[in-house]
Amino acid sequence: MSRPRTGRARTAFEMGLREYARTPVLLALLVFLPAYFVGVLVFLLPESSVPVEVAGRGTVAVPSSELYGILLVPLVSGLVGGVAGLFLMLAARSADGRLVVAGYRPVELLVARVGLLAVAGAVAAVVSLGVLSVEVVPERLGWFALASVLAGVTYGLVGTLAGLVLSRLAGVYLLLFAPMVDVFFFQNPMVSDPHWLAAYLPGHFATEVAVDAGLSASVALEPLGWAVAYLATVGVVTAVAYYRTMRIG
Amino acid sequence: MPESANPATGAGRASRLRRLRVGVASHVRAFVRTPLNVALLVVLPVVVVEGYGTAMSAFPQLPHLAGGTMAETGRVNGAIYAAAFLAGILGLFQSISAVQADERLRICGYDRAELFASRLASVVLGSTLVAGVSTAALWRSVELAAPTAAFGALTLAALIYGLVGMLVGAVLPRALEGSLVLVFLVDLDDFLSSGLLDVESPVLKLLPLHYPHDLFQSATFEGSVATGDALLGAAYLGGVFLLALGVYVRVTGEGGVLA
């Protein structure tokens, strides 16, 4: 008798988690690097005020350390999620092909892989948030954490997609560059008239929610809905690419 | 065993040079065998330079920034970032793919100096290439006051990060973990060295991009070469070189693992 689908997806997810747990260097880096990145920057960032656009508050002056602290958490989640998604897919692609031959459905494997990405994104977000909280506490902590994890999972799926279509070197190039330019430059709330391209980038809606939740007491639900819709769209594109790979494999 | 494979049997200088040339040629062939890698080396600096320039053109003018407009400053930062991170990733993967293979070559009779020189020559070649492409990408839209000095500063940045990448790859010879370390290192360094933030801290002088960045900015906007920055940047490069050499010697004597 075949196992139910949820059971098989859970087994694949647990195996992935065990693989992470068997790599203590990776676990240590997933905790240490975000903490170091956010810790060093929050310590060094100047206190001088900069004008930013905040939903519900208009243009307000906030300390640079607070603004960049708030931007750093979704950025770190995006970096960790993206690189993790890329390598997860590069490592799993051939094994997943064999699992499909053995009876697994691609959707079960994809659910398990996305679950692992969510874990990586959540770990990066929680660690970054913990370090950030020493100096800067976001106004709406729960919404801020949710937005950061959304940024991590969205970039995780972008990384997964890159792992399906690009080589390791090309994928690392992409995932090193994209979150930094997207979150730090294109989504920076210091910009009052953003470039049209900013609205189409993976970090747009998640960063908008993170900035709102970090700097104001009101969080608009519309960008949150768009962030989820963007995630779903990238998820569908990734699923189609994944299915094609499994079919060919 | 043929003479060329065993330096211990008295292979001369010409033989060493030939082996070095063969080593570098094989590394280059391994890289260009994936045309996408080559295409990205050319395309990415253009994308990064234009991406930074476009994104920063919408920023309000920051009072502490000297030099050109925000778009020009963005392009300058993009060029140095592209040169550093591309060379860093090249060095990382060069080192990861090399460590265990070189250990086996050493058992076959190659000496460590030859092996290290061949890896280093590949990284120097790659660093010079990405610095050249980044300079050209920048020159399309920003008038360079001293193009040769600007290319020199970018080459310095790329060489430092090429060696840092080799070092990371030797200490942590795993693609995912090494890439994560390099991602955070380059981003943190670029973020703080760019001058976009008005940060005053002695810590900044320890960052790999600090001196190349100052050199690059003065060459681009003022047409001058800051001798002090050039000397300190060269000293930094020398320090990273010695560190990379030391770690490489250790790992090729210990089965490819840092003992």
Side-chain angles (χ1 to χ4, degrees):
Chain A
M1 197 169 75
S2 66
R3 297 184 66 183
R5 282 184 194 191
T6 49
R8 283 200 299 226
R10 197 173 61 229
T11 305
F13 173 70
E14 285 170 3
M15 291 299 114
L17 275 186
R18 264 188 223 179
E19 208 174 317
Y20 272 16
R22 247 183 257 132
T23 321
V25 178
L26 178 59
L27 280 182
L29 289 176
L30 279 180
V31 174
F32 171 74
L33 288 173
Y36 154 81
F37 190 67
V38 175
V40 169
L41 284 174
V42 168
F43 174 70
L44 290 175
L45 286 170
E47 285 299 316
S48 53
S49 291
V50 287
V52 296
E53 296 278 329
V54 180
R57 291 175 66 191
T59 304
V60 292
V62 296
S64 298
S65 54
E66 196 174 328
L67 166 67
Y68 289 113
I70 294 297
L71 277 179
L72 280 174
V73 181
L75 169 61
V76 166
S77 302
L79 282 170
V80 169
V83 176
L86 171 75
F87 281 95
L88 183 73
M89 194 41 67
L90 287 172
R93 200 159 50 181
S94 56
D96 284 2
R98 287 193 286 274
L99 285 172
V100 168
V101 172
Y104 262 83
R105 289 171 192 274
V107 69
E108 295 163 352
L109 292 167
L110 195 59
V111 166
R113 305 302 175 213
V114 174
L116 281 174
L117 286 181
V119 170
V123 168
V126 167
V127 172
S128 315
L129 196 48
V131 176
L132 177 70
S133 302
V134 174
E135 291 285 332
V136 179
V137 179
E139 295 263 354
R140 302 291 298 269
L141 203 56
W143 290 108
F144 183 78
L146 176 66
S148 301
V149 175
L150 271 175
V153 179
T154 306
Y155 263 107
L157 285 172
V158 172
T160 305
L161 199 55
L164 287 169
V165 297
L166 297 177
S167 67
R168 186 178 65 166
L169 190 60
V172 174
Y173 285 162
L174 178 73
L175 272 309
L176 178 64
F177 162 65
M180 180 74 172
V181 173
D182 178 7
V183 176
F184 184 71
F185 288 114
F186 277 96
Q187 315 305 338
N188 197 311
M190 278 174 70
V191 176
S192 54
D193 184 20
H195 193 270
W196 63 267
L197 192 60
Y200 297 95
L201 295 175
H204 177 67
F205 297 109
T207 310
E208 193 178 335
V209 178
V211 169
D212 282 359
L215 300 177
S216 75
S218 67
V219 177
L221 288 180
E222 193 189 336
L224 187 65
W226 281 112
V228 174
Y230 197 104
L231 176 66
T233 308
V234 182
V236 169
V237 174
T238 308
V240 171
Y242 186 75
Y243 264 82
R244 276 184 60 85
T245 311
M246 290 302 109
R247 193 158 54 86
I248 292 163
Chain B
M1 181 182 285
E3 189 191 12
S4 62
N6 188 355
T9 60
R13 196 184 179 85
S15 172
R16 277 174 178 264
L17 278 174
R18 193 169 63 81
R19 280 206 299 265
L20 187 62
R21 209 170 47 235
V22 169
V24 174
S26 70
H27 304 326
V28 171
R29 261 202 306 278
F31 184 77
V32 299
R33 221 173 271 142
T34 312
L36 183 62
N37 291 344
V38 183
L40 280 172
L41 265 191
V42 178
V43 171
L44 264 178
V46 180
V47 174
V48 177
V49 167
E50 287 308 310
Y52 268 52
T54 304
M56 281 200 59
S57 63
F59 271 58
Q61 191 69 37
L62 300 174
H64 62 272
L65 273 183
T69 62
M70 290 307 282
E72 285 175 336
T73 303
R75 288 192 172 93
V76 165
N77 285 334
I80 203 160
Y81 181 62
F85 93 73
L86 286 172
I89 293 292
L90 279 177
L92 173 77
F93 285 144
Q94 183 69 236
S95 192
I96 287 174
S97 66
V99 168
Q100 297 209 347
D102 285 1
E103 172 70 12
R104 286 193 285 272
L105 285 172
R106 190 172 167 267
I107 292 167
C108 292
Y110 277 74
D111 69 37
R112 291 170 183 171
E114 282 175 344
L115 293 169
F116 182 73
S118 117
R119 297 295 173 185
L120 185 65
S122 310
V123 171
V124 169
L125 206 63
S127 300
T128 312
L129 178 69
V130 295
V133 175
S134 299
T135 309
L138 180 66
W139 212 351
R140 287 173 64 244
S141 43
V142 176
E143 185 71 34
L144 301 180
T148 311
F151 170 68
L154 278 190
T155 307
L156 179 65
L159 282 174
I160 290 176
Y161 259 99
L163 285 169
V164 168
M166 282 182 81
L167 194 58
V168 172
V171 175
L172 198 62
R174 305 161 71 108
L176 171 56
E177 289 83 344
S179 300
L180 272 173
V181 170
L182 210 59
V183 163
F184 280 97
L185 198 59
V186 177
D187 278 344
L188 182 79
D189 189 1
D190 179 63
F191 195 28
L192 288 173
S193 302
S194 65
L196 294 176
L197 303 167
D198 193 12
V199 180
E200 287 292 334
S201 168
V203 174
L204 298 194
K205 293 187 176 163
L206 301 175
L207 295 173
L209 285 182
H210 178 74
Y211 297 111
H213 208 287
D214 285 354
L215 268 176
F216 190 50
Q217 281 225 321
S218 58
T220 304
F221 293 126
E222 296 156 23
S224 60
V225 177
T227 315
D229 285 333
L231 289 174
L232 287 167
Y236 200 106
L237 178 66
V240 181
F241 170 78
L242 289 177
L243 204 56
L245 176 63
V247 170
Y248 181 86
V249 167
R250 286 288 297 274
V251 298
T252 48
E254 299 288 343
V257 177
L258 191 65

